[in-house]
Amino acid sequence: PYTCMPHNYFAEGIQVYGNRNGDRPQDEKLIQITWKSKVGFIYNATTLDVIEQFNFDTVRGEGWGICYDKDRHEFIVSDGSQFLHFWDADTLEEKRRVAVTRKGLEAARNINELEFVHGKVLANVWYEDVILVIDPETGVSESEYNMETLYPQTERKRDRADVLNGISISKDEDTLYITGKMWDRMYLLSLKGF
């Protein structure tokens, strides 16, 4: 199945959550946020029917990336600022907000696509070829993975590809899929040590 989003929305982050492998697979859902409309949607993951439409707000009034911490039952949302927004997964209300700092304690800017792996938030930085490993409690970026040589910018220009901005976990949480805007390729990476 597929669904068409109305043209007045610019779709951004999307995250699967809910019951995946239990007795009620129909409980699996998708949550999606929009870029500037401050509107999000919850879908049935099997049929893609809209279950709920909701309004949200962030520091910049935008939605960029979203991931899910199953243990804390909360969504983690980025908006291109230095902040991660933590929403209760049932009420979609913001519970807290954490400022992210990079090595050297500089404020992280342009936090984009998110994934939650091994208790950490993985985030790419818009227009940089890096992936940050962020402690969700402190906001400290504990590691930065440089992706410059993965698909060098000179090759991307030649191929009319744009920035790195796709991170997705696989069934093996130590293995990530990495891609970007208008990339004709996807990389399977193993990140060790976090």
Side-chain angles (χ1 to χ4, degrees):
Y2 70 93
T3 188
C4 293
M5 178 167 276
H7 295 291
N8 55 319
Y9 296 118
F10 188 104
E12 275 293 343
I14 193 165
Q15 174 66 50
V16 66
Y17 72 105
N19 189 354
R20 281 189 183 184
N21 302 313
D23 295 332
R24 298 175 47 93
Q26 69 272 22
D27 291 342
E28 187 176 46
K29 299 174 187 148
L30 297 170
I31 184 170
Q32 182 176 42
I33 54 177
T34 59
W35 180 28
K36 293 186 175 183
S37 303
K38 300 183 186 181
V39 174
F41 299 91
I42 296 177
Y43 304 94
N44 175 297
T46 303
T47 65
L48 299 182
D49 292 333
V50 175
I51 297 169
E52 181 181 349
Q53 179 176 325
F54 63 93
N55 296 312
F56 68 88
D57 203 5
T58 61
V59 170
R60 288 183 51 176
E62 299 178 359
W64 286 33
I66 187 168
C67 64
Y68 180 60
D69 178 347
K70 182 178 178 180
D71 292 338
R72 295 187 74 148
H73 194 58
E74 61 188 10
F75 296 111
I76 305 165
V77 176
S78 67
D79 66 351
S81 71
Q82 78 173 98
F83 292 96
L84 293 177
H85 304 263
F86 295 80
W87 297 351
D88 180 272
D90 293 323
T91 66
L92 304 175
E93 296 293 323
E94 185 173 283
K95 295 164 52 175
R96 68 186 188 285
R97 183 182 301 165
V98 175
V100 177
T101 55
R102 294 176 75 170
K103 300 284 183 177
L105 301 180
E106 72 178 87
R109 302 261 190 264
N110 298 320
I111 297 172
N112 192 11
E113 174 65 23
L114 305 175
E115 280 294 346
F116 193 80
V117 180
H118 299 306
K120 305 295 180 187
V121 177
L122 301 183
N124 83 292
V125 178
W126 183 247
Y127 282 109
E128 291 187 41
D129 291 336
V130 298
I131 295 176
L132 307 179
V133 179
I134 304 165
D135 181 315
E137 295 299 318
T138 65
V140 172
S141 174
E142 299 175 343
S143 301
E144 293 192 17
Y145 289 92
N146 186 328
M147 300 285 158
E148 287 178 340
T149 59
L150 191 64
Y151 187 12
Q153 289 185 14
T154 53
E155 291 179 35
R156 282 185 276 181
K157 284 181 183 176
R158 179 197 66 213
D159 299 340
R160 296 189 177 150
D162 206 345
V163 296
L164 177 146
N165 82 330
I167 308 169
S168 183
I169 58 173
S170 68
K171 288 185 180 189
D172 173 7
E173 284 191 347
D174 290 326
T175 304
L176 302 172
Y177 293 99
I178 305 291
T179 191
K181 292 224 184 263
M182 299 185 293
W183 287 20
D184 62 356
R185 60 200 74 193
M186 186 178 304
Y187 295 91
L188 194 59
L189 298 179
S190 179
L191 298 182
K192 304 287 184 190
F194 70 92

